Amino acid sequence: ASIDGAKQAKRQDLLDSYTAQYTLLSEYLPKMKSESEVLQVLQDNGVVPGMPMKDIMAIVKSLNDSTIDNRMAASIAKEL
């Protein structure tokens, strides 16, 4: 059950239902940090270019910040 699936199936009834559910639920979820905010958090917590990924992800995990997407953090760290 997904918005994309409803679009592909051309099911407007499901699309309306899923969109309404998403809108309602998103009001209660924390806003995820942007790429620039994640980069700043990484830098503020001692992440430097060349640091091993396992050490970077250990730092991210230790922050216990549910507004940081781990995949995004890893992608940004690779680009440092």
Side-chain angles (χ1 to χ4, degrees), residues 8-50:
Q8 290 175 354
K10 296 182 170 117
R11 292 284 309 269
Q12 189 62 43
D13 58 326
L14 293 177
L15 181 59
D16 293 343
S17 174
Y18 295 155
T19 302
Q21 290 173 25
Y22 174 81
T23 301
L24 178 67
L25 291 174
S26 65
E27 292 177 20
Y28 295 96
L29 297 173
K31 180 184 173 287
M32 299 303 285
K33 285 185 172 43
S34 68
E35 287 187 30
S36 61
E37 291 170 321
V38 171
L39 175 59
Q40 188 63 51
V41 168
L42 294 176
Q43 292 172 336
D44 290 348
N45 285 280
V47 173
V48 294

Side-chain angles (χ1 to χ4, degrees), residues 43-72:
Q43 292 172 336
D44 290 348
N45 285 280
V47 173
V48 294
M51 182 180 262
M53 186 59 71
K54 66 180 180 102
D55 295 342
I56 294 170
M57 295 315 292
I59 290 170
V60 171
K61 186 175 181 180
S62 73
L63 297 173
N64 199 27
D65 186 342
S66 63
T67 64
I68 295 177
D69 181 309
N70 288 346
R71 286 185 184 175
M72 181 190 300

